[in-house]
Amino acid sequence: MRWDRAVIHVDMDAFYASVEQRDQPALRGRPVIVGGHPRRGVVLAASYEVRRFGVRSAMPMARALTLAPGAIVVPPRFDAYVEASEAVFRVFERVTPLIEPLSLDEAFLDVTASQALLGDPVALAARLRREIREELGLPASAGIAEVKFVAKIASDSGKPDGQFVVAPGTAKAFLRPLPVGRLWGVGPKTEAQLARQGLRTIGDVAAKDVDWLVGALGPQGRHFWELANAIDPRPVVTDREAKSIGAQDTFDEDVLGAEALSPHLHGQALRVGRRLRKAQLKARVVQLTVKYGDFSSLTRRATLAVPTDDGQVLYRDAQRLLARVDLTRRVRLTGVSAHELVGLNEQLGLFGAPPQPRSERLNAALDMISARFGERAIVTADLAQADATTRRDGFLPEEKQALAKTGQGAVRDPLRVVPDEDP
């Protein structure tokens, strides 16, 4: 059967925990939590063995350890997860170039045009899952449907380590009995509001008059009605304009003073430099973000004399920005980000400084070493010392909850270039 439109949603199962279980055979079959500090951290991933105790992603670590006191807690290794994610996406690229990443561990794939050469979408999903399992040692689930919204829900129905097909013409029947809270954008308050109107299932919303829903809920009423009727014309979006590239660290314990913070800025700047070079971009502006222990935050920006992809240049300017910040208060998070990005072939200005071939050759050599042996193959002395106290996760605490896949859209990926929001 040929599909007029075919979308696959692939979602890696308990991704971070699965990577840890793959890399550490002693953890296989055991209740594993990937998380940070036991008092202030959150659960980043929970293996299926620990989920039976009620542990879920984005849950406070203290609560998770109360529910599962015998769980094995593993600190996150984001370099390993990024490496695994990139390998997974290379598998995706074998069947289609139309890939929309939502996070490190899930994506939409439009395989409509792939049918002519590679066959049925259901078989393609099974092939992807098989190759990910055989080559990378990781489980994945998939949903196959005509539209993105239905494919996403279908992949949830296929978990764990399975797939679920919503054949053409059956999407409305598939959605009909599901609770209204499964609609994108329906949170607890909206769900309660709909329940007061007698709308408890997606089928109830689909059967309601669209004008009545708009009158009761405003413009989002039409959005809910369309989703409930499996109307989701949004394409799989492969290209997102890069607005910024950044790196940031949330510390296990609050940090005080420039001397303690500088190594963290150094590591962040070097990571941003590598990511700029990977994306073949240079930055005109560097930004420093500081979040204090009371969760208040501030940003400082500087325009560079010449656009750069050199992490050392970014670090020097971030240091100057740090001198303009109140450092008598304890700091919970720092971040360095690159803004006003330009391509390597863009005109960089008539009076710009000449290129610096020595630093460019050095960066190229370091990039080659990092690509082969990992980002931590070569580190400066200050970073080696700082590594003992830093959780190198690259995400704000609130982004970690988004990383648990609330279904509300894309989140930032440490290596993949996606739009960045203003801090």
Side-chain angles (χ1 to χ4, degrees):
M1 176 177 59
R2 181 176 176 84
W3 298 47
D4 291 334
R5 186 181 182 216
V7 177
I8 301 174
H9 178 261
V10 181
D11 195 355
M12 304 301 294
D13 295 325
F15 183 50
Y16 298 169
S18 294
V19 172
E20 298 298 342
Q21 290 177 318
R22 178 197 67 181
D23 294 349
Q24 302 182 63
L27 298 180
R28 294 173 189 170
R30 306 288 298 280
V32 174
I33 296 173
V34 179
H37 194 283
R39 285 185 284 111
R40 63 192 297 176
V42 297
V43 174
L44 300 182
S47 72
Y48 279 91
E49 294 83 359
V50 81
R51 292 187 186 188
R52 64 188 183 90
F53 297 102
V55 177
R56 295 290 184 269
S57 295
M59 176 180 288
M61 282 292 296
R63 171 66 175 159
L65 293 175
T66 299
L67 292 172
I72 302 170
V73 178
V74 180
R77 297 182 300 131
F78 278 85
D79 287 349
Y81 311 148
V82 168
E83 182 180 353
S85 173
E86 291 186 332
V88 168
F89 275 78
R90 286 194 292 270
V91 174
F92 294 163
E93 290 165 359
R94 297 172 188 172
V95 301
T96 179
L98 301 178
I99 302 167
E100 180 178 350
L102 299 182
S103 65
L104 284 177
D105 61 340
E106 65 172 320
F108 288 115
L109 290 72
D110 188 329
V111 296
T112 307
S114 304
Q115 297 175 85
L117 288 176
L118 301 177
D120 178 74
V122 180
L124 283 180
R127 168 187 162 179
L128 289 171
R129 294 178 47 248
R130 182 180 66 253
E131 292 179 358
I132 291 170
R133 165 72 77 177
E134 292 177 352
E135 298 175 23
L136 306 178
L138 296 170
S141 297
I144 308 96
E146 294 176 287
V147 297
K148 291 164 69 173
F149 168 62
V150 179
K152 170 75 168 112
I153 293 182
S155 69
D156 291 338
S157 300
K159 284 185 172 293
D161 197 20
Q163 64 184 56
F164 193 95
V165 183
V166 181
T170 67
K172 286 184 64 174
F174 166 69
L175 294 174
R176 188 178 298 125
L178 300 179
V180 72
R182 299 296 297 274
L183 291 172
W184 282 342
V186 173
K189 290 184 179 179
T190 304
E191 186 171 8
Q193 184 179 1
L194 291 169
R196 286 194 293 271
Q197 302 292 338
L199 306 178
R200 291 180 170 80
T201 67
I202 292 180
D204 292 337
V205 176
K208 203 69 176 176
D209 180 75
V210 63
D211 292 330
W212 182 91
L213 284 170
V214 171
L217 303 172
Q220 64 178 351
R222 179 174 294 277
H223 165 73
F224 296 147
W225 182 86
E226 289 179 348
L227 290 182
N229 283 280
I231 300 171
D232 183 14
R234 296 169 308 148
V236 170
V237 180
T238 58
D239 296 317
R240 294 182 171 96
E241 179 186 1
K243 296 183 179 180
S244 71
I245 293 177
Q248 53 197 19
D249 296 318
T250 300
F251 310 130
D252 282 341
E253 303 291 344
D254 294 344
V255 176
L256 182 64
E259 183 177 353
L261 289 170
S262 291
H264 302 301
L265 296 187
H266 197 178
Q268 292 157 8
L270 293 178
R271 283 146 60 193
V272 171
R274 281 194 296 269
R275 294 164 190 175
L276 285 168
R277 295 190 294 274
K278 182 179 178 71
Q280 296 188 314
L281 296 169
K282 293 193 175 187
R284 296 182 185 274
V285 171
V286 61
Q287 176 173 292
L288 169 70
T289 300
V290 172
K291 177 176 283 191
Y292 293 107
D294 62 0
F295 289 88
S296 63
S297 62
L298 55 81
T299 60
R300 297 287 183 267
R301 283 189 170 205
T303 301
L304 304 170
V306 179
T308 188
D309 59 9
D310 189 330
Q312 295 290 0
V313 174
L314 297 173
Y315 171 55
R316 288 194 291 270
D317 278 270
Q319 280 281 77
R320 285 191 279 270
L321 293 172
L322 187 65
R324 296 163 45 190
V325 171
D326 178 9
L327 298 180
T328 63
R329 303 163 61 190
R330 290 191 172 273
V331 174
R332 176 184 176 85
L333 170 149
T334 61
V336 174
S337 54
H339 297 256
E340 296 189 21
L341 307 182
V342 296
L344 298 183
N345 296 323
E346 288 192 41
Q347 178 67 36
L348 300 183
L350 297 175
F351 305 104
Q356 299 175 316
R358 184 173 180 274
S359 64
E360 290 181 0
R361 288 197 301 271
L362 174 61
N363 285 331
L366 294 175
D367 290 343
M368 290 177 62
I369 294 171
S370 296
R372 183 170 182 181
F373 300 106
E375 285 191 6
R376 307 305 292 168
I378 295 180
V379 296
T380 59
D382 59 343
L383 298 184
Q385 176 67 27
D387 232 14
T389 57
T390 303
R391 183 167 66 251
R392 298 179 58 251
D393 55 26
F395 291 94
L396 292 164
E398 55 266 35
E399 290 176 317
K400 291 172 184 173
Q401 297 191 28
L403 201 57
K405 298 183 291 304
T406 59
Q408 302 304 311
V411 298
R412 276 185 291 199
D413 174 317
L415 288 185
R416 197 163 285 107
V417 180
V418 299
D420 204 350
E421 299 168 351
D422 240 308

